[in-house]
Amino acid sequence: DRIEWFASPDDLCRTFAGLHQLQQNTELAPLDDVLSKEDFGLDLDPQQWPTVWYKGGSEAGVLTTGWLATDAQDATYVVEVMLANPDAALPAESITTDVKLAKQIFGLLAGD
């Protein structure tokens, strides 16, 4: 409760889901363009995952990485990885580990 990050992974998943629903409104369709500009190195196969959104954030002791991806069958999934340690800086390799873990999860969802 001393770190200034109060959103849980569940909160972030609900946020992705809400934004995904909002972007269906033609006036808010640019959300897709904005959130799909960067995938933070996830590199999912675009034939299998035509839509991939990324949003992450960090501050001292907290790293969060999240992706929303829609597969070729139009099923949408959110993967959110959050690391927190209020007592020490997170190791530099935490980012690489987050991306690798998320890629493995999307692989399981795709049946790889």
Side-chain angles (χ1 to χ4, degrees):
D1 63 0
R2 293 184 313 253
I3 295 176
E4 294 179 19
W5 189 275
F6 298 108
S8 72
D10 284 343
D11 293 333
L12 297 169
C13 288
R14 282 190 298 276
T15 300
F16 266 121
L19 288 171
H20 185 257
Q21 190 164 17
L22 283 173
Q23 68 91 31
Q24 316 255 336
N25 176 332
T26 55
E27 293 175 3
L28 298 175
L31 280 170
D32 184 58
D33 293 336
V34 171
L35 291 169
S36 64
K37 289 258 185 244
E38 173 65 51
D39 74 357
F40 205 61
L42 190 62
D43 267 343
L44 296 179
D45 176 358
Q47 296 297 319
Q48 194 168 21
W49 300 96
T51 301
V52 178
W53 291 1
Y54 166 75
K55 180 64 181 109
S58 65
E59 65 174 53
V62 178
L63 171 66
T64 182
T65 52
W67 295 266
L68 175 146
T70 301
D71 66 16
Q73 290 75 40
D74 208 32
T76 301
Y77 303 92
V78 174
V79 173
E80 186 69 39
V81 181
M82 180 183 284
L83 302 173
N85 185 345
D87 300 320
L90 296 171
E93 65 272 6
S94 297
I95 293 170
T96 306
T97 301
D98 278 12
V99 174
K100 183 186 281 187
L101 179 60
K103 190 166 185 136
Q104 289 172 342
I105 292 168
F106 279 111
L108 290 171
L109 291 168
D112 294 348

